[in-house]
Amino acid sequence: MTIKDTPEEWEIRSTEIPFRGNKTSVRTDEVVMPDGTVVKRDYQVHPGSVAVLALDDEDRVLVLRQYRHPVRHKLWEIPAGLLDVPGENPLHAAQRELYEEAHVKAEDWRVLTDVYTTAGGCDEAVRIFLARELSEAEGERFQVEDEEADMELGRVSVADLVRGVLAGDLHNNCLVVGVLSLVAARNADGLDGLDALRPAQAPWPARPFEI
């Protein structure tokens, strides 16, 4: 049996947008079920995101700690951000986020994994990159504001992050998925470790873009 997600779209009888926010909105669709009944489905419409698992030469991951109001926590995360423009190249967005949040650049980029963060209630798609060969970025640091003004930066070993994930101490979606995907890629049978990861410009059907 082939295990692969496949695109499919059920009939929508009507749709409305009861709320529009600065970056996201809420949409209500009337969807026809397989037995012919029609039900309402509410979900958040999201532009999409990118995240960067930046790995240095000492096998440490660049992480940041930031307040997240919806969950009332300060979470350890990896650099991430929205796709600001429809059709934006996700690699360019990831490079921008790594620069803005950590003032770091990377020479080697791969696609680590693609995920839907909460497919039952939001259409957000995230592409998580692996970035290696890190160095300090040139130029002035990006001026942060709001929650980012209180952000802490650090570098933590992959082993310590795995322990934190499995202990239930780390909860950020992109950090958890990224770190465990990194370990899985290293240990995958029949593959050449991280060199077998997809190239940085690999197609992304969830958020199509032009190179």
Side-chain angles (χ1 to χ4, degrees), residues 45-124:
V45 178
H46 195 284
S49 306
V50 292
V52 184
L53 194 145
L55 187 68
D56 70 15
D57 293 339
E58 298 179 36
D59 208 42
R60 299 176 304 175
V61 175
L62 193 156
V63 292
L64 50 92
R65 189 169 179 247
Q66 187 172 346
Y67 176 66
R68 293 301 187 183
H69 185 70
V71 295
R72 309 303 198 272
H73 269 70
K74 272 193 170 182
L75 299 180
W76 284 104
E77 307 178 353
I78 57 177
L82 299 175
L83 295 171
D84 289 338
V85 180
E88 182 179 14
N89 188 304
L91 174 61
H92 299 165
Q95 291 169 333
R96 178 186 69 236
E97 293 301 328
L98 185 61
Y99 169 79
E100 291 183 355
E101 295 192 346
H103 203 66
V104 166
K105 63 180 181 179
E107 299 302 323
D108 185 274
W109 290 82
R110 307 288 175 113
V111 174
L112 192 51
T113 190
D114 299 323
V115 295
Y116 291 116
T117 54
T118 47
C122 179
D123 71 353
E124 180 184 15

Side-chain angles (χ1 to χ4, degrees), residues 28-41:
T28 300
D29 291 341
E30 288 192 339
V31 186
V32 181
M33 297 290 105
D35 64 358
T37 60
V38 179
V39 301
K40 286 188 176 182
R41 291 290 178 261

Side-chain angles (χ1 to χ4, degrees), residues 4 75 77 140 160 195 211:
K4 183 177 181 179
L75 299 180
E77 307 178 353
E140 295 184 4
D160 284 344
D195 291 334
I211 297 176

